[in-house]
Amino acid sequence: MTASVALGMPAVPARLAPRRASRQIRVGSVAVGGDAPVSVQSMTTTLTADVDATLQQIAQLTASGCQIVRVACPSQDDADALPQIARKSKIPVIADIHFQPKYVFAAIDAGCAAVRVNPGNIKRFDDKVKEIAKAAADAGIPIRIGVNAGSLDQRLLKKYGRATPEALVESALWECSLFEEHGFRDIKISVKHNDPVVMVDAYRQLAAQCDYPLHLGVTEAGPVFQGTIKSAVAFGALLADGIGDTIRVSLSAPPVEEVKVGIQILESLNLRQRRLEIVSCPSCGRAQVDVYKLADQVLAGLDGMEVPLRVAVMGCVVNGPGEAREADLGVASGNGKGQIFVKGEVIKTVPESKIVETLIEEAMKIAEQMQADGTPSGEPDVTVL
Ligand code: SF4
């Protein structure tokens, strides 16, 4: 069982496609676009005017790995809260502004790292673009042109009949052109739609027509299960083609969940160093242990581990030894026992009741060794200016 065999598995490519060449902008301490790592962002759900609650949620998001946070600014009370939030947040804060240009200036003055405006709701902005561009340029902060299918410019709705990919792209590029007229190109763009197929098409068209960095999002993606699948499918298609510079998963769930999903998507595509990865089989009629329970228990025991450890939990000897051997650590179960593999070698065979504790014990040893050897963790690469 311990003999080394060639498994003929293809090597996982480091990247699926070269990254699209985009301009690089800076959202506070986080570079977006160019060769900067794809960043993960989210949005608070608190009343922005409630400074304590908002800062508390930002702290939770920061702890979960969120790199950029957006806060809504629909009222003067929210605008008044921005200076304190921008100053105290450990990650860059973007003010999300619709309808009222005065809040754009307030956000810039407050020290926000960027401002998001929506061309569909920007009617009252259009005659202020020159002033906005100047204020943003003077402060050195970028603007996100955030097009959303649900609030598409009426002119384009009439022209296209609905929020088609072409309509979303035209709306974004039109708004960009208004800023470009004033020499302002410190811009990133999003063209969000709730249908991943429309969204992917829109971003592909946009990517071909400009070099601005792109913020990916499937808008109103739904509750956790549906939203996760939609976002993973859409982001996966785009990121695999090298399109996308920062991502926001939109879920009808606490924003920390969005960050977890976003990070997992990047790790799955090798766009970020993987952390703990459980390779577990789906089980079948050959399984000689309860694979679901085993995998859940191992995951629970190792949750939060930052080193890129791959643990294989396999139900029988069909694929078990092969997968267990390929992982850093693994178990191939059978006949009430588990063969424990470390770095491709069987180190011991334990009774089924000892499989979980043995795997956790061995995982801790390997993790310690990895940390001592300086193995990179899954922490995002954030440049602090
Ligand atoms: S490893 Fe064994 S139990 Fe698991 S799915 Fe494959 S054949 Fe079935």
Side-chain angles (χ1 to χ4, degrees):
M1 291 299 282
T2 59
S4 174
V5 290
L7 297 167
M9 290 181 181
V12 177
R15 293 280 158 90
L16 291 160
R19 186 96 172 267
R20 163 180 169 264
S22 60
R23 302 163 64 87
Q24 189 170 88
I25 63 166
R26 294 208 76 94
V27 178
S29 57
V30 180
V32 175
D35 59 0
V38 179
S39 49
V40 173
Q41 54 179 288
S42 185
M43 187 164 180
T44 51
T45 56
T46 50
L47 262 184
T48 303
D50 186 342
V51 173
D52 288 347
T54 302
L55 283 170
Q56 193 179 354
Q57 194 172 56
I58 291 176
Q60 287 165 353
L61 285 165
T62 307
S64 71
C66 183
Q67 293 166 272
I68 297 170
V69 67
R70 190 156 42 109
V71 300
C73 184
S75 75
Q76 188 59 49
D77 285 348
D78 300 312
D80 292 343
L82 291 177
Q84 223 184 326
I85 293 170
R87 196 172 59 249
K88 291 193 174 163
S89 170
K90 296 262 190 295
I91 54 176
V93 174
I94 300 179
D96 190 82
I97 294 164
H98 299 249
F99 306 116
Q100 296 267 20
K102 65 180 178 181
Y103 299 144
V104 175
F105 299 108
I108 292 170
D109 288 345
C112 289
V115 175
R116 179 267 172 126
V117 296
N118 177 344
N121 293 336
I122 209 169
K123 282 288 149 289
R124 285 178 235 167
F125 283 177
D126 281 359
D127 56 356
K128 295 257 189 243
V129 168
K130 185 176 177 186
E131 284 171 69
I132 293 172
K134 182 171 183 328
D138 289 349
I141 72 160
I143 303 274
R144 168 153 77 92
I145 307 289
V147 178
N148 195 305
S151 49
L152 186 64
D153 189 332
Q154 287 302 319
R155 179 177 66 86
L156 294 164
L157 260 186
K158 267 195 206 119
K159 177 174 172 185
Y160 290 95
R162 62 199 159 84
T164 62
E166 292 74 16
L168 297 171
V169 171
E170 187 174 328
S171 176
L173 293 180
W174 163 254
E175 199 57 40
C176 288
S177 74
L178 297 182
F179 280 93
E180 287 160 0
E181 274 174 25
H182 302 291
F184 188 85
R185 297 200 69 206
D186 199 5
I187 292 171
K188 65 182 168 127
I189 307 180
S190 60
V191 281
K192 299 189 182 181
H193 197 289
N194 63 44
D195 182 330
V197 176
V198 178
M199 177 270 196
V200 167
D201 192 357
Y203 276 98
R204 282 189 175 144
Q205 292 188 31
L206 185 60
Q209 292 181 51
C210 70
D211 68 350
Y212 289 119
L214 302 183
H215 161 125
L216 302 188
V218 175
T219 192
E220 292 107 28
V224 174
F225 179 74
Q226 178 185 292
T228 298
I229 303 280
K230 279 187 169 185
S231 301
V233 166
F235 294 7
L238 291 165
L239 291 167
D241 278 348
I243 297 171
D245 301 289
T246 182
I247 61 172
R248 191 262 170 123
V249 175
S250 299
L251 299 177
S252 303
V256 164
E257 299 305 311
E258 300 182 344
V259 174
K260 286 191 209 162
V261 172
I263 290 173
Q264 190 69 52
I265 290 171
L266 295 183
E267 288 184 11
S268 299
L269 289 165
N270 277 350
L271 289 170
R272 186 176 286 215
Q273 175 68 56
R274 290 179 186 174
R275 293 174 293 181
L276 175 67
E277 187 181 1
I278 305 286
V279 178
S280 58
C281 80
S283 189
C284 74
R286 294 185 198 91
Q288 294 172 348
V289 290
D290 184 341
V291 178
Y292 303 165
K293 196 167 144 196
L294 211 54
D296 280 347
Q297 287 175 339
V298 173
L299 180 59
L302 299 177
D303 195 26
M305 189 169 263
E306 289 289 337
V307 293
L309 188 76
R310 180 185 283 207
V311 183
V313 178
M314 304 294 290
C316 80
V317 293
V318 171
N319 294 323
E323 289 288 4
R325 198 176 284 122
E326 284 289 298
D328 296 300
L329 168 68
V331 60
S333 313
N335 292 330
K337 293 182 205 148
Q339 267 188 323
I340 307 292
F341 288 74
V342 172
K343 304 285 180 193
E345 301 293 333
V346 176
I347 58 152
K348 61 175 95 163
T349 300
V350 298
E352 191 177 329
S353 60
K354 299 276 183 205
I355 291 175
V356 173
E357 66 177 73
T358 308
L359 283 177
I360 291 172
E361 205 178 283
E362 293 301 327
M364 295 299 180
K365 283 190 212 160
I366 299 173
E368 265 172 40
Q369 191 58 50
M370 282 177 163
Q371 270 156 348
D373 295 346
T375 304
S377 75
E379 285 300 297
D381 182 3
V382 179
T383 311
V384 178
L385 290 176

